[in-house]
Amino acid sequence: CKFPEPAEEQRSTDGKRVSRDSDTRSVSLLEQKRKVVSSSIDVPHARRSEEEVDMDKVTAAMVLTSLSTSPLVRSPPVRVSEGLSGSWKDNGSAGPFTPSSNSSSGGYWSWSAPSDQSNPSTPSPPLSADSFKPFRVPSLGGVGPGPAGPEDPILDEQDGSSLLFDEPIPRKRKNSMKVMFKCLWKNCGKVLSTAAGIQRHIRTIHLGRNCDSDLSDGEEDFYYTEIKLNTDSVADGLSSLSPASPSVLSPPPPPPSPLPSVSQLPDSHKPTQSSDTKEPHAGGTTPLSRSAPSALYLIHTDHAYQVMKTDVNNSAGSASTSFTPTNSSSFSISWQSPPVTFTGTTVSPSKSQGFGDQRSQTIAVLSSPPRATAALSRKVRGEGKKCRKVYGMENRDMWCTACRWKKACQRFTD
DNA sequence: CGTGCCGGGAT
DNA sequence: ATCCCGGCACG
């Protein structure tokens, strides 16, 4: 008793079935793709003149030290948006998707409009701006084209002379440590804050060379040593930590760890791992630099990449920090699944007193008991709504692919 | 019971 | 590789 009509299948069969295949599928694909793209911004800060060469040693030193305490974070997909605005849902469910790009950059595009005539020291291309705008904005209290203003009480060359360098990179140090360089020449206890300074000092005063040429045969290096002081700049140190990272959690960890998220612990250290695996000759940097100052000389060959690397890290880390939930209590912790290397955290920063310490301790306490037991058995289950709950069964094609495949949700990673 | 997602199967 | 589902753990 069917109709004689051929009955085009565009009928009311399902209504959604049709649209699903062609339309939405491609859209979601696109969406995902874009996500990936936006994540992989890697901005080379290519700026160095031959004059900065010996400065590089300083940079290297600082990088190395900071590496020892810095997490191996590097959070790839920009999940920041979720963190600082709980309203991603809006554009997610509303017609046009592309939630990531929308929410993350939408609010801040304003920066591009005002030409930054006031700061010559930000050569960063637009992309990078996107990456570190989150940290810059909140710290200043508003969008401002102004150059790095209030901060950096840390490490400036007091020797103050010819080569003035403004490197945005090494500015931020997370642990409150100050590196100084002391002249070891007999009867001369001069202490300077930069390696360049001390080198020049030695070169000119003790070795009696001309200061103008920057060629350093490295001899100076044997006459000074590196010393570290503890200083705490609470305000800054705090911001550079990455406590609030729960939201920034990244789905597929780029580092080869099977763990769901290595994410930036406030002060995860894991010195051996991070540096060791990466570079053969830079391995074990931390202990070296600490005990034997002369090692500095050996290392200083190629740190260019390291600098960039840390820079990225830093920006990422602070980005997450930006929205700093005042109460980083139980919730923010719970996301942390890997109990590994966690307990150790408390140990290392112990000497740096102040805020960071306190926090890390708190974290350790909170996280270890529940996680330790739970993580052993299972993954506990993600909390927070996932695609399914958010969009509902009927909008299944809005889910992230993982959810559609009943895999661990990739969009709302917890 | 709904939900998240691991393990495994199909293509 | 992409897509899907059974089934389990968990709330």
Side-chain angles (χ1 to χ4, degrees):
Chain A
C1 286
K2 292 293 181 182
F3 292 144
E5 306 294 339
E8 290 88 4
E9 59 278 8
Q10 45 77 304
R11 212 66 181 109
S12 65
T13 48
D14 265 8
K16 64 182 175 192
R17 183 66 51 110
V18 177
S19 66
R20 171 212 233 260
D21 280 341
S22 58
D23 215 14
T24 34
R25 172 75 41 103
S26 62
V27 167
S28 56
L29 254 181
L30 263 182
E31 170 189 9
Q32 259 184 329
K33 203 154 271 178
R34 101 161 42 245
K35 208 174 284 178
V36 171
V37 167
S38 71
S39 75
S40 64
I41 36 170
D42 228 350
V43 188
H45 284 255
R47 52 186 267 91
R48 50 181 68 263
S49 55
E50 58 257 55
E51 196 157 19
E52 293 179 348
V53 163
D54 44 2
M55 207 287 298
D56 284 344
K57 285 179 187 138
V58 187
T59 310
M62 295 197 310
V63 164
L64 290 178
T65 52
S66 75
L67 260 183
S68 68
T69 50
S70 80
L72 66 170
V73 274
R74 161 172 235 69
S75 65
V78 259
R79 243 324 122 39
V80 185
S81 56
E82 280 180 33
L84 37 82
S85 70
S87 62
W88 52 265
K89 190 195 291 187
D90 290 347
N91 48 27
S93 60
F97 327 91
T98 67
S100 64
S101 76
N102 239 358
S103 52
S104 76
S105 53
Y108 295 99
W109 279 0
S110 53
W111 68 271
S112 69
S115 63
D116 49 7
Q117 83 291 47
S118 63
N119 59 343
S121 68
T122 39
S124 36
L127 267 180
S128 86
D130 181 58
S131 82
F132 66 67
K133 109 242 138 188
F135 89 75
R136 168 145 300 186
V137 168
S139 77
L140 290 184
V143 179
E151 22 79 321
D152 80 326
I154 10 162
L155 188 86
D156 232 58
E157 77 168 339
Q158 61 187 183
D159 183 60
S161 39
S162 55
L163 54 114
L164 52 133
F165 50 90
D166 51 335
E167 278 274 43
I169 298 149
R171 241 131 160 96
K172 299 242 171 217
R173 314 267 328 273
K174 36 197 43 154
N175 66 2
S176 49
M177 284 259 262
K178 189 167 188 170
V179 181
M180 305 285 275
F181 299 90
K182 181 177 183 179
C183 179
L184 292 180
W185 201 272
K186 51 184 182 293
N187 298 337
C188 173
K190 188 158 176 91
V191 175
L192 293 178
S193 62
T194 63
I198 202 69
Q199 281 174 31
R200 231 161 0 84
H201 160 83
I202 293 170
R203 208 181 317 155
T204 58
I205 305 296
H206 302 304
L207 296 180
R209 300 193 187 180
N210 254 350
C211 62
D212 53 355
S213 70
D214 58 346
L215 55 87
S216 64
D217 52 358
E219 190 177 346
E220 310 91 327
D221 293 297
F222 297 106
Y223 296 114
Y224 71 89
T225 184
E226 171 190 354
I227 57 180
K228 297 178 182 172
L229 311 178
N230 270 351
T231 5
D232 57 339
S233 54
V234 177
D236 219 345
L238 169 65
S239 76
S240 68
L241 290 176
S242 53
S245 29
S247 63
V248 181
L249 253 243
S250 49
S257 82
L259 296 174
S261 63
V262 179
S263 84
Q264 45 291 61
L265 310 180
D267 13 14
S268 72
H269 38 261
K270 38 192 95 168
T272 55
Q273 231 184 356
S274 64
S275 57
D276 231 13
T277 53
K278 254 151 195 133
E279 264 307 283
H281 81 294
T285 55
T286 310
L288 271 181
S289 66
R290 181 165 302 156
S291 59
S294 61
L296 210 66
Y297 180 65
L298 296 176
I299 300 170
H300 86 299
T301 40
D302 62 338
H303 38 273
Y305 77 100
Q306 278 183 335
V307 170
M308 298 198 302
K309 201 164 276 182
T310 19
D311 180 36
V312 172
N313 280 357
N314 270 355
S315 67
S318 32
S320 66
T321 309
S322 63
F323 82 106
T324 324
T326 51
N327 53 354
S328 60
S329 53
S330 58
F331 167 31
S332 56
I333 313 303
S334 55
W335 57 275
Q336 252 306 350
S337 47
V340 253
T341 72
F342 215 131
T343 54
T345 304
T346 332
V347 176
S348 127
S350 61
K351 65 171 175 288
S352 79
Q353 87 292 39
F355 226 30
D357 183 18
Q358 191 175 348
R359 188 212 319 281
S360 69
Q361 213 146 8
T362 310
I363 287 180
V365 168
L366 280 180
S367 71
S368 45
R371 280 297 158 252
T373 53
L376 281 179
S377 65
R378 199 155 274 277
K379 208 183 147 192
V380 179
R381 180 194 217 125
E383 46 196 284
K385 301 182 194 284
K386 298 292 162 57
C387 292
R388 179 172 188 155
K389 220 183 272 185
V390 170
Y391 299 114
M393 263 307 211
E394 53 279 359
N395 293 325
R396 182 168 169 183
D397 28 46
M398 284 183 171
W399 299 2
C400 67
T401 36
C403 275
R404 254 184 289 130
W405 301 344
K406 285 170 70 164
K407 290 286 194 260
C409 181
Q410 210 163 359
R411 191 176 332 218
F412 309 121
T413 169
D414 46 3

